[in-house]
Amino acid sequence: MQLQFNKMFWNLSKSEIDLVNVLINIIKRNDEFDIEHEFNYASPFYLVDTNLHELASSLGYLTLDDKVISDLTKSLDLLSKIQASIYYIAHKDRSLEKSTFVYKYVLTSIDRDLNKRLNIWLDTSIIKVLRENTEQFLKLYTYDRYDLRSKYSIVLYDALSAISKGKQSRVEYSLEEFINLLDFDLEKTENNTWAKINGNILKRVSKEIENKSNMYFRYEKVKNKNVLDESNNMVIRFEVSLAPELEETQTIYTDDELMTRKIAYYIEKDVNEKFKSVSRFGNVDINDVESYKHTVRKNLQINKDEYSAQVKVQEWVNFVKYSSPEDHGLVVLINYTPENDLVTVNNDYKLYDVMKKVELSTSAKDTQIKINAFLNSTDSEYALADTESYMKECSISYTKG
C-alpha cells in the first residue's frame, strides 16, 4: 500500500518560507502554460528556470540591487542546507525522508539577456507535499512566528489548536492515545509511562508553547473511575484557549497577491528610468527626488491593467525562453498570419514582425489578448528562432542557451 504523507518538520525562517511559496507558485503557473505535460513526480528533481527579477518582484522588493541579490542567494543557500523531515504512514508502516528543497542552483548573467537567469533544481518530494497539502504553509509560518522548534511542541500545538479554534476547550487523551499522538517517529518511544511523558515531554513542551505562542493551556493527570483496567485508569486532561493572532498567518500565495507586488516592481522600474532620463539631460530641476518619484509613481499607478498585462506577457515569454535551456534565439509566434510569419514581443511589450520590423499591437493589453487568441487557435505554434544578430529592440524576448 502506498505510504501517505503524515507530518513535516522544517525549521525555516519567514524569508525562506516566502521563497518556497513563490517557487511553488512558479511551478503551478508553468504547469498551466505547459498543458500538454503532467508534472513528473517520478523524477527526483524539478528544474525551475527563472530569473532574479521574477523572484525579487514576487517577494515584494521594488528593485534588484546588490543587497536584494545577496538576500535571494542567502535564502537559496539556506534552502540547500536546511533539511526537511517528512514522515509517511500506511497502517503500521512508517517511513522518514530527509531532504533539502534546493539541490543546486546556477545564476548566469549574460549581457544580451537582460534578465539575470537562474536555474534551480528542486526536490520533487517536497514539491508534492506542499502542492497537495497547502495548509503546510500556514503551519510553517506559524511555527516560525512563535519560534516553535521542538517536534513535540509542534505536534501538540497542531493537535490542540485544531480542537480549540479560538475558544476555551477541554480535551482528554488516554495514555495510549497520547503516546500514539507523539509516536510519529520511527524509533520506538521510551516515553511510555505518565512519569516519563510528564518529565521528559510535557513539562518542557508546555513551557515552550505558553511562553512563545498564542496558546494557553494547562494539563493534569485525571483518574478515570469508569475504567477497570489498571493500566488505563487515567487520562491526561488539557484546558486550552487561543489568543488572537498578532498578525495574519500566511498561506500559499495567490496569483492576485503576487500580481500586486509584480506591478509595483514594474512601476518602480519605470519611475527610476524616468528619473534617470530627466536628471541625465538636465531638463528638470529636481530638488526633492522622492517627491518627484512619488508624483511619477502615482501617475503610473493609474495604468495598473497595462502593467498587469506586461507581467503576464513577460511570464509567458520567459516560459518559452527557458523551456529548452540549451537553445537560444527570439521567442516567436510562427505563421502568426499569412502576412506575418515570425512575430515576437519587443521591449515595449508589443507584437513585432521580425522580418518587416513593424509593430502589430498597440499596448501590452492588446499584445496579451492577441497572444492568447493565437495560442487558443488551431495548430498554433511558437518556438525560439535562431537569429544571426541580436535584436536589441526585442531583448525581453531573447535568450542565450
Side-chain angles (χ1 to χ4, degrees):
M1 179 175 291
Q2 184 177 3
L3 292 172
Q4 300 296 318
F5 168 72
N6 185 20
K7 291 180 175 65
M8 171 186 276
F9 299 98
W10 201 7
N11 287 330
L12 300 178
S13 68
K14 183 179 181 300
S15 297
E16 284 68 65
I17 303 170
D18 285 347
L19 180 52
V20 173
N21 209 339
V22 166
L23 290 170
I24 293 296
N25 182 272
I26 293 173
I27 293 168
K28 173 178 169 290
R29 187 193 68 220
N30 287 350
D31 275 2
E32 293 170 353
F33 282 145
D34 198 11
I35 57 176
E36 296 180 359
H37 300 91
E38 292 186 0
F39 191 98
N40 181 18
Y41 284 114
S43 172
F45 302 112
Y46 176 88
L47 173 61
V48 169
D49 205 340
T50 182
N51 58 75
L52 288 180
H53 291 289
E54 174 160 32
L55 295 189
S57 62
S58 298
L59 289 167
Y61 293 105
L62 293 178
T63 58
L64 186 63
D65 55 25
D66 290 341
K67 182 183 181 305
V68 174
I69 293 175
S70 176
D71 288 346
L72 293 175
T73 53
K74 179 181 177 182
S75 290
L76 287 168
D77 287 338
L78 289 171
L79 289 174
S80 69
K81 296 174 182 176
I82 301 174
Q83 286 192 324
S85 297
I86 308 173
Y87 291 85
Y88 299 91
I89 190 169
H91 294 300
K92 295 183 179 180
D93 295 328
R94 294 176 295 174
S95 66
L96 166 64
E97 180 179 353
K98 290 191 174 184
S99 178
T100 57
F101 188 52
V102 174
Y103 172 64
K104 71 174 181 177
Y105 69 92
V106 177
L107 174 62
T108 57
S109 180
I110 300 171
D111 291 340
R112 292 182 176 182
D113 188 349
L114 299 185
N115 293 309
K116 294 192 178 292
R117 189 168 174 178
L118 185 65
N119 303 127
I120 316 173
W121 285 261
L122 303 176
D123 181 83
T124 52
S125 60
I126 298 180
I127 294 173
K128 188 176 194 312
V129 167
L130 295 176
R131 293 188 70 181
E132 296 181 357
N133 304 273
T134 54
E135 76 280 359
Q136 281 299 310
F137 279 106
L138 184 148
K139 292 181 178 181
L140 289 171
Y141 283 117
T142 299
Y143 305 153
D144 175 63
R145 176 174 299 127
Y146 298 130
D147 195 29
L148 298 179
R149 302 304 177 189
S150 163
K151 291 182 180 181
Y152 291 129
S153 295
I154 290 172
V155 169
L156 193 56
Y157 181 90
D158 284 347
L160 296 180
S161 60
I163 293 166
S164 177
K165 296 188 181 301
K167 300 178 181 179
Q168 186 166 357
S169 305
R170 173 185 291 181
V171 61
E172 294 179 350
Y173 294 101
S174 70
L175 188 61
E176 182 180 359
E177 288 172 336
F178 197 66
I179 291 173
N180 287 337
L181 177 68
L182 301 180
D183 189 24
F184 55 85
D185 218 331
L186 301 183
E187 296 181 4
K188 186 176 180 180
T189 180
E190 295 181 356
N191 299 299
N192 53 7
T193 65
W194 163 250
K196 289 184 177 180
I197 287 176
N198 187 42
N200 297 342
I201 297 176
L202 277 175
K203 286 184 177 180
R204 174 170 50 84
V205 165
S206 63
K207 183 177 180 180
E208 180 177 23
I209 290 177
E210 192 158 7
N211 287 346
K212 293 182 176 181
S213 78
N214 65 332
M215 177 180 288
Y216 166 80
F217 76 90
R218 66 183 184 89
Y219 69 93
E220 60 181 334
K221 179 180 72 171
V222 181
K223 291 287 186 180
N224 188 341
K225 297 179 180 180
N226 296 324
V227 179
L228 298 178
D229 186 350
E230 289 297 321
S231 64
N232 295 301
N233 66 349
M234 57 81 65
V235 295
I236 308 172
R237 177 180 295 166
F238 291 91
E239 300 279 353
V240 187
S241 61
L242 290 177
E245 289 272 11
L246 297 177
E247 56 184 289
E248 183 178 354
T249 302
Q250 290 176 268
T251 55
I252 191 167
Y253 286 140
T254 65
D255 292 339
D256 288 342
E257 286 175 311
L258 296 184
M259 180 57 73
T260 299
R261 294 179 175 183
K262 293 171 184 176
I263 289 173
Y265 187 90
Y266 274 54
I267 288 176
E268 200 65 21
K269 175 174 171 287
D270 281 355
V271 168
N272 290 329
E273 288 182 353
K274 286 181 180 295
F275 172 73
K276 288 179 182 178
S277 177
V278 297
S279 60
R280 181 185 304 124
F281 297 105
N283 295 331
V284 178
D285 181 18
I286 303 174
N287 295 318
D288 189 341
V289 174
E290 288 308 314
S291 177
Y292 170 80
K293 288 186 174 182
H294 175 74
T295 301
V296 174
R297 191 178 298 115
K298 294 292 287 185
N299 291 335
L300 293 177
Q301 286 172 347
I302 298 173
N303 298 318
K304 285 187 176 180
D305 289 346
E306 177 69 8
Y307 281 105
S308 175
Q310 289 183 16
V311 172
K312 291 178 180 178
V313 169
Q314 184 70 73
E315 287 177 346
W316 178 79
V317 166
N318 287 348
F319 170 74
V320 180
K321 285 166 63 173
Y322 301 153
S323 290
S324 300
E326 70 281 357
D327 294 339
H328 65 275
L330 282 175
V331 173
V332 293
L333 305 175
I334 300 175
N335 296 323
Y336 178 70
T337 69
E339 295 79 27
N340 308 109
D341 184 18
L342 300 180
V343 173
T344 188
V345 178
N346 67 12
N347 293 344
D348 295 323
Y349 295 92
K350 296 177 182 178
L351 290 180
Y352 185 81
D353 187 306
V354 175
M355 306 304 295
K356 297 181 179 179
K357 301 188 183 303
V358 295
E359 293 181 344
L360 303 177
S361 60
T362 58
S363 64
K365 288 172 62 176
D366 188 28
T367 299
Q368 183 190 2
I369 292 170
K370 289 181 176 179
I371 288 178
N372 288 341
F374 178 79
L375 295 178
N376 291 327
S377 65
T378 305
D379 298 327
S380 62
E381 189 176 356
Y382 55 83
L384 286 177
D386 195 6
T387 56
E388 294 182 2
S389 62
Y390 170 62
M391 299 179 64
K392 187 175 181 180
E393 63 269 33
C394 301
S395 62
I396 69 167
S397 293
Y398 178 85
T399 187
K400 185 175 178 64

